[in-house]
Amino acid sequence: MAEKTIFLKGENMLDDINDIELGGLEVNYYTVCPRKLWLYARYIRQERVHDRVELGRFVHEESYRRFKKELEIGSVKIDLLEDGAVCEVKLSSKMEEAHLWQLYYYLYYLKRKGFSAVKGILLFPKEKKRKEVVLTAEVEKKLSQIIAEIIQLKKEMFPPEKIRKLSFCKKCAYFEFCYA
Ligand code: SF4
């Protein structure tokens, strides 16, 4: 595929790549709320009827028209590519920490597939803001831990407790599911 040429081929492909076939949203959701990840992983989907998700899709589709969009590699779907950087477009920076881990996961995943992206960029077109990140050894270590926890959580029969942070929950697509 032509898109692969923007990455540098890595030396150390790891053997257990099949163990980390997670989607980026799963990492994002887990860092916001483990229960949200559990519900999402059970295909309990509320997003389609949630206004913020629809608005986010619209912003994504209307922004950065000149860049290559929605590249799928294995289990990850990358929003944009800009000069060798993996870009993730978000509606708002309010959940920046979770968005960052999603982006880090893309860089980590690509590296473990044998490619190294130059960097990652979080883009917030409505706020005219961007944040550039690179994968460090410390981030990789933390991601390994997050991935192991997600894999374990997805096997659990019952969902974790609510996080009880109303400021998060009110904006969550699963609000009615959790608080009805
Ligand atoms: S509403 Fe709150 S507790 Fe329920 S999934 Fe969303 S963030 Fe988690």
Side-chain angles (χ1 to χ4, degrees), residues 26-77:
E26 292 185 285
V27 175
N28 186 316
Y29 286 178
Y30 178 74
T31 56
V32 172
C33 167
R35 181 180 172 91
K36 184 172 183 175
L37 177 271
W38 190 93
L39 292 169
Y40 179 79
R42 288 291 186 288
Y43 298 97
I44 300 168
R45 301 288 161 85
Q46 304 282 299
E47 283 88 346
R48 244 169 267 161
V49 295
H50 198 270
D51 289 348
R52 281 185 66 79
V53 174
E54 286 303 315
L55 185 55
R57 285 203 183 106
F58 177 76
V59 168
H60 175 232
E61 279 160 21
E62 293 302 308
S63 307
Y64 311 106
R65 285 177 177 272
R66 69 194 170 90
F67 296 114
K68 171 75 183 158
K69 290 192 181 184
E70 296 238 321
L71 176 65
E72 262 188 85
I73 301 175
S75 66
V76 303
K77 198 185 277 185

Side-chain angles (χ1 to χ4, degrees), residues 109-132:
Y109 181 89
L110 290 170
K111 182 176 175 184
R112 294 179 73 133
K113 282 285 188 190
F115 304 102
S116 293
V118 177
K119 62 186 171 189
I121 309 175
L122 265 186
L123 296 163
F124 305 100
K126 273 173 70 81
E127 300 172 10
K128 297 191 176 7
K129 182 178 163 188
R130 59 191 276 145
K131 179 164 189 166
E132 297 190 3

